[in-house]
Amino acid sequence: MNRRPTGFTLVELLATIAIISVLIALLIPAVQAARESARRSTCSNQLRQLGLALPMHDSVYRTFPGNGGFTEDSLIRDTSGAMIHISTFDFGEITNHSWGIGQPGKRPRQQSGSWAYALLPFVEEEAAYRAVAFEQTQPLYLCPTRARSPSRPTEEDDFGQYESGGWAWAKTDYAGNKFAFPELPNVVRPSDMTDGLSATIAIGEKAYNPNQQLPTSWFWDEPLFSGGSDGTVRDGLKIVEDQSSNEFRWNWGSSHPGLAGFVHFDGSVQWKAKSIDEAVLRRLLEIDDAGE
């Protein structure tokens, strides 16, 4: 009685491997898309929380927060024990910019920290706000898709020289609309937004290039506890892709494929295409262009 040989022939084995390879190739993009969908949902929720914090700030102070700015009493103790001001020296502009530091209890017109610092008590981070815990990472302000490396003490690079006191400061992936979050002592009230809250961007994902804006750099990426810098606000008219653009100054951007997230002053989260027309984006940023 002849018995049929058991096991795979070489041809059958190669065919099985080919089928498995095809299945894996089909599954990987689906898994990646599912993961990105989950990360984008998280990013939306974070923007929504920040958007909901704005009316709470307004209910307490009768105004939205500003972006802070330098004051003489914005001092921290550096790692050697000396009291210093924090700053960025821009090699391109040949200009030194001194920044404010968040100060608990200050009213909006006197608050030297950024809008991001001012909102901490309204996103359940009262302790970080009171302690000015500038080294404490704030996950709410970090996009999960971008997944940037943790900040480190600053070092001089090709763009600038930075005074961080030798500390690693918490960063933010979200920037405020510079038209709506002006520098100290200016502030914006809801009544100033003649375009309407629903038609005005409050906060969005900011442009960032990890190949140039390293964890040791503050170049257009100053920390969320600082005030008066363009690391925490944007007013540019482009939405650019991470890692592929040098246009991170002024502009918006993200690691999400084709899109960047924004929250408007009415609390609605909207995803805008990176191909958005500049005139459209301008109208969404300006707070009083309804009559134009």
Side-chain angles (χ1 to χ4, degrees):
M1 180 176 177
N2 294 328
R3 293 182 178 274
R4 186 173 179 175
T6 59
F8 289 105
T9 66
L10 179 59
V11 173
E12 290 173 329
L13 181 61
L14 291 175
T16 301
I17 292 173
I19 292 169
I20 292 172
S21 299
V22 170
L23 290 174
I24 291 173
L26 292 172
L27 281 172
I28 287 175
V31 170
Q32 290 174 335
R35 288 176 176 170
E36 168 54 21
S37 178
R39 290 190 292 258
R40 184 172 146 185
S41 177
T42 299
C43 192
S44 289
N45 289 334
Q46 292 177 182
L47 285 166
R48 185 173 292 107
Q49 288 182 63
L50 293 174
L52 292 174
L54 289 168
M56 289 191 282
H57 184 283
D58 176 54
S59 70
V60 173
Y61 295 109
R62 301 303 179 198
T63 183
F64 294 126
N67 195 44
F70 175 74
T71 58
E72 288 294 339
D73 60 349
S74 289
L75 292 163
I76 62 155
R77 196 175 300 278
D78 69 14
T79 53
S80 71
M83 300 302 292
I84 62 153
H85 294 117
I86 60 172
S87 62
T88 295
F89 186 89
D90 188 316
F91 289 157
E93 296 178 356
I94 316 178
T95 304
N96 188 70
H97 302 278
S98 294
W99 311 123
I101 299 173
Q103 299 187 60
K106 291 279 189 177
R107 298 193 64 80
R109 290 187 182 276
Q110 291 80 43
Q111 178 54 257
S112 50
S114 76
W115 65 269
Y117 169 77
L119 289 185
L120 286 174
F122 304 100
V123 293
E124 301 182 354
E125 289 294 343
E126 177 82 27
Y129 172 83
R130 291 291 173 190
V132 193
F134 53 79
E135 284 196 289
Q136 181 179 323
T137 299
Q138 296 294 328
L140 183 65
Y141 290 83
L142 297 174
C143 171
T145 295
R146 179 169 285 166
R148 65 160 78 199
S149 300
S151 298
R152 301 200 301 270
T154 54
E155 298 175 1
E156 180 179 322
D157 56 30
D158 292 340
F159 301 103
Q161 188 176 43
Y162 319 99
E163 177 57 82
S164 64
W167 306 103
W169 292 59
K171 300 285 189 68
T172 173
D173 286 329
Y174 304 128
N177 173 1
K178 193 172 183 177
F179 293 100
F181 299 118
E183 193 171 332
L184 186 79
N186 300 307
V187 292
V188 169
R189 296 182 175 89
S191 59
D192 296 324
M193 296 185 178
T194 58
D195 291 356
L197 301 183
S198 63
T200 307
I201 287 172
I203 300 162
E205 296 185 87
K206 71 182 187 184
Y208 170 79
N209 188 330
N211 298 319
Q212 298 182 46
Q213 294 172 295
L214 304 176
T216 54
S217 172
W218 278 10
F219 194 66
W220 291 79
D221 195 29
E222 286 84 10
L224 69 90
F225 284 79
S226 68
S229 82
D230 283 323
T232 50
V233 290
R234 292 287 194 270
D235 61 357
L237 302 179
K238 294 182 179 179
I239 302 175
V240 299
E241 198 79 39
D242 283 7
Q243 301 193 35
S244 63
S245 175
N246 294 327
E247 297 180 293
F248 51 80
R249 301 170 182 82
W250 300 288
N251 287 318
W252 311 87
S254 79
S255 289
H256 303 289
L259 300 167
F262 294 82
V263 62
H264 288 222
F265 275 95
D266 66 345
S268 63
V269 175
Q270 300 184 21
W271 290 86
K272 305 188 191 302
K274 291 175 181 175
S275 59
I276 190 171
D277 184 82
E278 291 188 8
V280 172
L281 187 53
R282 182 191 300 276
R283 288 194 295 271
L284 292 170
L285 292 171
E286 294 178 350
I287 66 174
D288 58 356
D289 65 335
E292 293 182 5

